[in-house]
Amino acid sequence: MDKHDFDLEALVASAVADVDLSGRDIPAIDLYLDQIITLASDRLAQNKRGEKDKLLTKTMINNYSKDGVIKPVKGKKYSREQIVQMMLVYSLKQNFSIGEIKQLFDGVYAAEGFDGDALIESYDRFLDFKAHEREACPGIVKELLASQGLDMQNDRDFFVGLLGISAMSTYLRNVAQDMLALRYPLPEKDKEKEKKEKDKEKQK
Protein backbone atom coordinates (compact mmCIF):
# COMPACT_ATOMS: atom_id res chain seq x y z
CA MET A 1 0.00 0.00 0.00
CA ASP A 2 1.29 3.46 -0.88
CA LYS A 3 2.41 5.49 2.16
CA HIS A 4 -0.05 8.24 1.19
CA ASP A 5 -2.95 5.83 0.93
CA PHE A 6 -4.22 5.75 4.50
CA ASP A 7 -7.58 6.18 6.14
CA LEU A 8 -7.36 9.06 8.64
CA GLU A 9 -10.62 8.13 10.36
CA ALA A 10 -9.44 4.55 10.85
CA LEU A 11 -6.08 5.81 12.14
CA VAL A 12 -7.71 8.09 14.73
CA ALA A 13 -10.19 5.38 15.74
CA SER A 14 -7.29 3.01 16.35
CA ALA A 15 -5.40 5.65 18.36
CA VAL A 16 -8.30 6.10 20.79
CA ALA A 17 -9.24 2.42 21.01
CA ASP A 18 -7.78 1.96 24.48
CA VAL A 19 -9.54 0.17 27.31
CA ASP A 20 -9.70 0.89 31.03
CA LEU A 21 -9.91 -1.06 34.24
CA SER A 22 -13.02 0.35 35.92
CA GLY A 23 -13.69 0.44 39.63
CA ARG A 24 -16.39 -2.16 39.03
CA ASP A 25 -13.75 -4.50 37.56
CA ILE A 26 -11.60 -4.34 40.70
CA PRO A 27 -12.49 -6.96 43.33
CA ALA A 28 -13.77 -5.66 46.67
CA ILE A 29 -11.20 -7.83 48.47
CA ASP A 30 -7.57 -6.81 48.94
CA LEU A 31 -5.11 -8.22 46.37
CA TYR A 32 -1.48 -9.25 46.36
CA LEU A 33 0.87 -7.42 44.00
CA ASP A 34 1.07 -10.38 41.59
CA GLN A 35 -2.74 -10.50 41.40
CA ILE A 36 -2.86 -6.79 40.54
CA ILE A 37 -0.25 -7.21 37.80
CA THR A 38 -2.20 -10.13 36.33
CA LEU A 39 -5.49 -8.22 36.48
CA ALA A 40 -3.98 -5.18 34.77
CA SER A 41 -2.19 -7.27 32.14
CA ASP A 42 -5.34 -9.20 31.27
CA ARG A 43 -7.61 -6.16 31.02
CA LEU A 44 -5.21 -3.60 29.51
CA ALA A 45 -3.20 -5.74 27.08
CA GLN A 46 -4.65 -4.08 23.97
CA ASN A 47 -3.37 -0.67 25.13
CA LYS A 48 0.19 -1.54 24.16
CA ARG A 49 1.03 0.44 21.04
CA GLY A 50 4.42 -1.19 20.57
CA GLU A 51 6.61 -3.99 21.88
CA LYS A 52 8.48 -1.59 24.19
CA ASP A 53 5.32 -0.20 25.78
CA LYS A 54 4.87 -1.34 29.35
CA LEU A 55 1.70 -2.03 31.25
CA LEU A 56 1.63 -1.81 35.03
CA THR A 57 4.73 -3.45 36.54
CA LYS A 58 5.96 -4.30 40.04
CA THR A 59 8.71 -1.70 39.68
CA MET A 60 6.18 1.01 38.79
CA ILE A 61 3.97 0.16 41.78
CA ASN A 62 6.93 0.04 44.16
CA ASN A 63 8.10 3.43 42.87
CA TYR A 64 4.62 4.93 43.27
CA SER A 65 4.59 3.70 46.86
CA LYS A 66 8.12 4.91 47.56
CA ASP A 67 7.26 8.35 46.17
CA GLY A 68 4.21 8.52 48.43
CA VAL A 69 1.80 8.78 45.50
CA ILE A 70 -0.26 5.79 46.61
CA LYS A 71 -1.16 5.16 50.22
CA PRO A 72 1.21 2.93 52.21
CA VAL A 73 0.40 -0.76 51.95
CA LYS A 74 -0.60 -2.63 55.11
CA GLY A 75 0.99 -6.05 55.02
CA LYS A 76 1.35 -7.46 51.52
CA LYS A 77 -2.09 -6.74 50.10
CA TYR A 78 -3.45 -3.65 48.36
CA SER A 79 -6.95 -2.27 48.83
CA ARG A 80 -9.37 -1.32 46.07
CA GLU A 81 -8.61 2.33 46.79
CA GLN A 82 -4.87 1.78 46.32
CA ILE A 83 -5.46 -0.08 43.05
CA VAL A 84 -7.54 2.83 41.74
CA GLN A 85 -4.69 5.15 42.76
CA MET A 86 -2.33 2.98 40.69
CA MET A 87 -4.64 3.15 37.68
CA LEU A 88 -4.87 6.94 37.96
CA VAL A 89 -1.10 7.36 38.27
CA TYR A 90 -0.63 5.09 35.24
CA SER A 91 -3.03 7.31 33.26
CA LEU A 92 -1.91 10.70 34.57
CA LYS A 93 1.82 10.16 34.15
CA GLN A 94 1.39 10.71 30.40
CA ASN A 95 0.90 14.41 31.13
CA PHE A 96 2.00 15.02 34.72
CA SER A 97 5.19 14.44 36.67
CA ILE A 98 5.00 12.09 39.66
CA GLY A 99 5.35 15.16 41.89
CA GLU A 100 2.35 16.80 40.22
CA ILE A 101 0.26 13.65 40.61
CA LYS A 102 1.11 13.56 44.32
CA GLN A 103 0.18 17.26 44.49
CA LEU A 104 -3.20 16.43 42.93
CA PHE A 105 -3.89 13.51 45.28
CA ASP A 106 -2.79 15.48 48.36
CA GLY A 107 -5.01 18.36 47.33
CA VAL A 108 -8.17 16.39 46.62
CA TYR A 109 -7.81 14.17 49.69
CA ALA A 110 -7.62 17.33 51.79
CA ALA A 111 -11.09 18.32 50.54
CA GLU A 112 -13.90 17.85 53.00
CA GLY A 113 -15.57 14.45 52.73
CA PHE A 114 -13.13 13.05 50.18
CA ASP A 115 -12.11 9.49 51.02
CA GLY A 116 -11.45 6.15 49.35
CA ASP A 117 -15.08 5.69 48.32
CA ALA A 118 -15.11 9.18 46.79
CA LEU A 119 -11.93 8.37 44.86
CA ILE A 120 -13.42 5.20 43.38
CA GLU A 121 -16.64 6.99 42.43
CA SER A 122 -14.65 9.86 40.87
CA TYR A 123 -12.49 7.37 38.97
CA ASP A 124 -15.51 5.72 37.35
CA ARG A 125 -16.97 9.14 36.49
CA PHE A 126 -13.61 10.00 34.90
CA LEU A 127 -13.79 6.84 32.78
CA ASP A 128 -17.28 7.85 31.62
CA PHE A 129 -15.90 11.29 30.72
CA LYS A 130 -12.99 9.64 28.93
CA ALA A 131 -15.38 7.45 26.93
CA HIS A 132 -17.13 10.63 25.76
CA GLU A 133 -13.77 12.13 24.75
CA ARG A 134 -12.87 8.93 22.92
CA GLU A 135 -16.07 9.18 20.91
CA ALA A 136 -15.59 12.90 20.19
CA CYS A 137 -11.90 12.77 19.27
CA PRO A 138 -12.22 11.62 15.62
CA GLY A 139 -14.62 14.47 14.83
CA ILE A 140 -12.38 17.02 16.58
CA VAL A 141 -9.31 15.92 14.63
CA LYS A 142 -11.22 15.98 11.36
CA GLU A 143 -12.57 19.47 12.10
CA LEU A 144 -9.13 20.83 13.05
CA LEU A 145 -7.55 19.61 9.82
CA ALA A 146 -10.49 20.75 7.69
CA SER A 147 -10.37 24.23 9.26
CA GLN A 148 -6.96 24.72 7.65
CA GLY A 149 -7.94 23.10 4.34
CA LEU A 150 -5.29 20.41 4.77
CA ASP A 151 -5.04 17.47 2.39
CA MET A 152 -3.45 14.67 4.41
CA GLN A 153 -2.38 12.88 1.24
CA ASN A 154 -0.05 15.80 0.52
CA ASP A 155 3.29 15.58 2.37
CA ARG A 156 3.48 19.28 3.25
CA ASP A 157 -0.10 19.38 4.48
CA PHE A 158 0.46 16.15 6.38
CA PHE A 159 3.51 17.69 8.09
CA VAL A 160 1.57 20.83 9.06
CA GLY A 161 -1.38 18.76 10.30
CA LEU A 162 0.81 16.53 12.43
CA LEU A 163 2.52 19.57 13.98
CA GLY A 164 -0.84 21.21 14.65
CA ILE A 165 -2.28 18.17 16.40
CA SER A 166 0.88 17.89 18.49
CA ALA A 167 0.54 21.57 19.46
CA MET A 168 -3.07 21.02 20.53
CA SER A 169 -1.90 18.18 22.78
CA THR A 170 0.64 20.54 24.38
CA TYR A 171 -1.96 23.28 24.91
CA LEU A 172 -4.37 20.88 26.62
CA ARG A 173 -1.60 19.54 28.86
CA ASN A 174 -0.68 23.12 29.82
CA VAL A 175 -4.32 23.84 30.70
CA ALA A 176 -4.48 20.76 32.95
CA GLN A 177 -1.21 21.69 34.68
CA ASP A 178 -2.39 25.27 35.23
CA MET A 179 -5.69 23.98 36.68
CA LEU A 180 -3.72 21.86 39.13
CA ALA A 181 -1.42 24.70 40.17
CA LEU A 182 -4.34 27.09 40.69
CA ARG A 183 -6.56 24.74 42.72
CA TYR A 184 -3.88 22.92 44.72
CA PRO A 185 -0.80 25.17 44.80
CA LEU A 186 2.45 23.77 46.13
CA PRO A 187 3.97 25.31 49.26
CA GLU A 188 6.87 27.61 48.34
CA LYS A 189 9.44 25.19 49.78
CA ASP A 190 8.25 22.44 47.42
CA LYS A 191 8.11 24.53 44.23
CA GLU A 192 11.86 24.55 43.63
CA LYS A 193 12.05 20.80 44.25
CA GLU A 194 9.25 20.17 41.76
CA LYS A 195 10.95 22.42 39.19
CA LYS A 196 14.20 20.45 39.49
CA GLU A 197 12.33 17.14 39.11
CA LYS A 198 10.53 18.37 35.97
CA ASP A 199 13.79 19.68 34.49
CA LYS A 200 15.40 16.30 35.16
CA GLU A 201 12.50 14.46 33.47
CA LYS A 202 12.75 16.73 30.39
CA GLN A 203 16.41 15.77 30.02
CA LYS A 204 15.67 12.05 29.89
Side-chain angles (χ1 to χ4, degrees):
M1 182 174 67
D2 187 271
K3 68 177 183 178
H4 296 85
D5 184 21
F6 71 96
D7 185 336
L8 179 63
E9 290 187 12
L11 183 148
V12 176
S14 175
V16 300
D18 59 327
V19 295
D20 296 295
L21 181 66
S22 74
R24 295 177 288 273
D25 295 328
I26 300 171
I29 59 173
D30 295 352
L31 299 179
Y32 288 107
L33 190 55
D34 285 340
Q35 292 175 306
I36 297 170
I37 298 300
T38 300
L39 178 65
S41 296
D42 289 346
R43 298 298 179 91
L44 307 179
Q46 78 177 61
N47 291 352
K48 292 186 68 172
R49 294 174 58 80
E51 287 299 319
K52 293 184 179 180
D53 285 356
K54 291 183 178 180
L55 299 176
L56 201 64
T57 67
K58 289 183 180 181
T59 301
M60 288 180 190
I61 294 173
N62 288 331
N63 286 339
Y64 299 163
S65 182
K66 183 176 66 176
D67 291 332
V69 185
I70 63 173
K71 289 190 173 183
V73 63
K74 295 178 181 179
K76 295 184 178 181
K77 290 185 176 182
Y78 293 81
S79 68
R80 197 159 172 245
E81 177 185 4
Q82 289 168 313
I83 297 171
V84 167
Q85 289 174 337
M86 294 174 198
M87 293 298 104
L88 283 170
V89 177
Y90 185 75
S91 174
L92 290 167
K93 71 177 185 174
Q94 307 301 320
N95 293 300
F96 292 98
S97 68
I98 292 298
E100 287 172 324
I101 298 171
K102 185 176 186 303
Q103 179 183 348
L104 174 60
F105 282 175
D106 288 347
V108 75
Y109 270 108
E112 184 178 353
F114 196 94
D115 56 12
D117 289 338
L119 179 77
I120 295 168
E121 179 192 4
S122 298
Y123 174 66
D124 280 332
R125 288 177 63 195
F126 156 63
L127 295 187
D128 289 340
F129 189 1
K130 187 178 174 184
H132 172 74
E133 293 174 319
R134 188 182 289 123
E135 184 177 328
C137 188
I140 292 172
V141 171
K142 185 176 181 180
E143 183 178 343
L144 281 172
L145 298 175
S147 71
Q148 299 301 310
L150 298 177
D151 175 8
M152 297 306 282
Q153 309 303 325
N154 177 281
D155 279 311
R156 294 187 185 185
D157 282 4
F158 177 88
F159 182 51
V160 172
L162 188 152
L163 294 176
I165 291 172
S166 177
M168 177 61 76
S169 172
T170 301
Y171 291 147
L172 291 175
R173 185 183 66 233
N174 290 346
V175 169
Q177 290 174 332
D178 289 347
M179 288 171 64
L180 170 64
L182 180 65
R183 188 60 170 260
Y184 305 124
L186 276 175
E188 287 297 327
K189 63 183 180 63
D190 293 331
K191 286 183 179 179
E192 185 61 30
K193 179 182 177 182
E194 174 64 15
K195 182 178 183 302
K196 289 180 180 178
E197 289 179 355
K198 289 176 73 173
D199 290 342
K200 187 183 296 184
E201 289 183 14
K202 286 179 180 178
Q203 293 172 4
K204 290 181 180 179

